Amino acid sequence: MVAVEGETGVTIRPAHPDDLAELVEIERAAGELFRQLDADLLADHDPGSVEELVPYADDCRAFVSVDARDRPVGYLLVDLVDGAAHIEQVSVHPDHARKGLGRALIEHAASWASARALHSLTLTTYLDVPWNAPYYERLGFRSIPAGEETAGLRAIREHERALGLEVWPRTSMQRFLA
Ligand SMILES: CC(C)(COP(=O)(O)OP(=O)(O)OC[C@H]1O[C@@H](n2cnc3c(N)ncnc32)[C@H](O)[C@@H]1OP(=O)(O)O)[C@@H](O)C(=O)NCCC(=O)NCCS
């Protein structure tokens, strides 16, 4: 598939099998941001494996933003959860942070979901981490009250708790699509 030049000038394309090792490295590097908040446990969290990324690449549910040499510098994974496109992960390498790549990846996911008639984007995230819920709010997401989460989102939250990720308050968020 041909790479897409978004409105922002960021180039986003589906992930190729050859990209996947780089995505694991991006995940590890992006996690370093959490050391700023003394959350070494999160920074040291398993960044996942190429094998876990293969189904996303195979289904064209992994998107990468690339540099001028077509090398991934950020990525986003989508799952289908209760009729929504659920952002399973979005990460940008710190060397390329705060240039709008995260926003462009999320807008790409919104277009992808709209083209499939999905009603919304969802995600789960930390409520008070500056580059998590406050950032997503600026991108049009709103927190879902705990009692209103779908069964799929509740299961994801439960899985995250079991992994020990709930070191701070977390929330599910949703952005409705036109
Ligand atoms: C969340 C993430 C993907 C955003 O990517 P990005 O390309 O840097 O984001 P954008 O350029 O679109 O937006 C930047 C905004 O994010 C927030 N942000 C990003 N890094 C930040 C930091 N270190 N401290 C505070 N806010 C930060 C700010 O609101 C920033 O806007 P500003 O630069 O005008 O202050 C990236 O920070 C990341 O990979 N974080 C680590 C992994 C993570 O937490 N993923 C989300 C899991 S739910």
Side-chain angles (χ1 to χ4, degrees):
M1 188 170 169
V2 179
V4 175
E5 278 284 343
E7 291 174 356
T8 52
V10 177
T11 303
I12 296 177
R13 61 165 174 75
H16 303 153
D18 286 357
D19 296 324
L20 301 184
E22 192 60 38
L23 304 197
V24 175
E25 175 51 25
I26 291 169
E27 184 62 27
R28 192 204 56 71
E32 290 293 314
L33 214 48
F34 285 96
R35 290 199 207 280
Q36 285 179 18
L37 304 177
D38 290 330
D40 287 359
L41 185 141
L42 297 179
D44 293 333
H45 187 71
D46 178 9
S49 64
V50 166
E51 289 68 32
E52 288 166 299
L53 295 171
V54 166
Y56 290 96
D58 283 353
D59 289 358
C60 286
R61 290 184 291 113
F63 308 110
V64 293
S65 59
V66 293
D67 65 12
R69 290 186 295 159
D70 197 41
R71 287 191 15 197
V73 293
Y75 75 99
L76 182 148
L77 306 178
V78 187
D79 282 323
L80 295 176
V81 177
D82 299 328
H86 181 76
I87 299 177
E88 204 283 325
Q89 188 56 270
V90 53
S91 292
V92 170
H93 194 286
D95 291 350
H96 299 267
R98 304 181 96 154
K99 294 179 183 166
L101 301 187
R103 173 190 284 265
L105 283 162
I106 289 166
E107 294 309 324
H108 187 82
S111 300
W112 181 90
S114 292
R116 282 155 188 79
L118 300 170
H119 56 69
S120 60
L121 291 177
T122 56
L123 54 80
T124 62
T125 196
Y126 291 105
L127 205 49
D128 300 318
V129 170
W131 53 89
N132 286 174
Y135 168 63
Y136 297 123
E137 275 204 10
R138 280 198 292 285
L139 300 184
F141 288 80
R142 296 292 171 261
S143 275
I144 305 174
E148 295 174 24
E149 288 170 323
T150 64
L153 288 174
R154 283 200 303 276
I156 290 168
R157 296 282 307 279
E158 191 51 49
H159 180 62
E160 290 170 349
R161 257 177 234 121
L163 291 175
L165 291 176
E166 200 152 305
V167 292
W168 299 305
R170 286 181 67 79
T171 185
S172 299
M173 300 185 86
Q174 186 165 35
R175 169 173 147 182
F176 286 101
L177 300 168

